[in-house]
């Protein structure tokens, strides 16, 4: 097994040696979108994979602050830093105008911190940033600005429903997760370890 692993690693190194430098070093932009379950799960899995390869990952969550299994797991993994808002986050339709204004300020702070810290990371995940923009809690222009001026080697992962055309244009990967069936349609709420 060790000999095969050594040969595989040598082959991978040879492949990278023959690629133009921008293909090896340039960070790309990913979007996981759609109405199906699994957008955050996919981003979390990619964060774990990257950390397992020695990369430093910043996992920033927008409009989420409650208990979450991925956050508990990240605390046990070297190389992943979590950035989240404070307090309990309600759904948009549950908020009054004062709460909406406070939520907007919090999402703006999260993006500002992610942008300021980006230089120190290999990957930044902006979980639910797409949906946060769509719901009017984060200015799309500010997200564009971050993407247009990100460090060249930084890999960026965005999740959320209904990405704007400008986000799709900027992305290198766009994966849509389509709902065929979901237990919520039968009144089954989010379950610990599965949806949260």
């Amino acid at each position: 097994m060790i000999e095969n692993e050594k040969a595989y690693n040598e082959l991978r190194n040879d492949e990278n040696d023959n690629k133009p430098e921008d293909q090896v070093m340039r960070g790309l932009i990913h979007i996981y979108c759609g109405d199906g379950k699994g957008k955050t799960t996919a981003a979390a899995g990619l964060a774990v994979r990257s950390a397992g390869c020695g990369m430093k990952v910043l996992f920033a969550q927008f409009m989420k602050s409650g208990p979450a299994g991925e956050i508990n797991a990240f605390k046990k993994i070297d190389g992943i830093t979590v950035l989240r808002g404070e307090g309990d986050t309600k759904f948009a339709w549950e908020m009054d105008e004062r709460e909406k204004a406070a939520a907007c300020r919090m999402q703006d702070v999260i993006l500002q911190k992610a942008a300021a810290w980006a230089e120190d990371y290999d990957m930044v995940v902006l979980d639910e940033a797409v949906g946060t923009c769509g719901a009017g809690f984060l200015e799309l222009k500010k997200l564009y600005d971050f993407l247009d001026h990100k460090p060249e080697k930084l890999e960026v992962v965005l999740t959320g429903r209904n990405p704007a055309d400008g986000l799709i244009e900027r992305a290198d990967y766009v994966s849509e997760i389509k709902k065929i069936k979901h237990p919520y349609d039968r009144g089954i709420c989010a379950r610990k370890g599965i949806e949260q």
Side-chain angles (χ1 to χ4, degrees), residues 8 12 24 30 40 48 66 74 78 86 105 116 120 126-127 132 153 160 162 166 185:
Y8 172 78
R12 295 291 295 156
V24 176
H30 310 237
T40 296
V48 170
F74 291 159
D78 288 336
E86 299 171 0
R105 287 191 299 273
D120 297 329
L126 302 176
D127 183 39
T132 301
K153 295 179 183 179
N162 304 318
D185 299 335

Side-chain angles (χ1 to χ4, degrees), residues 12 22 29 34 58 65 77 79 84 103 124 136 144 146 149 154 157-158 165 188 194:
R12 295 291 295 156
D22 68 330
I29 298 171
L58 176 62
S65 61
I77 300 172
R84 306 175 92 201
V124 170
Y144 288 159
F146 169 72
H149 299 97
L154 182 70
V157 182
L158 304 159
D165 290 341
I188 299 173
I194 307 300

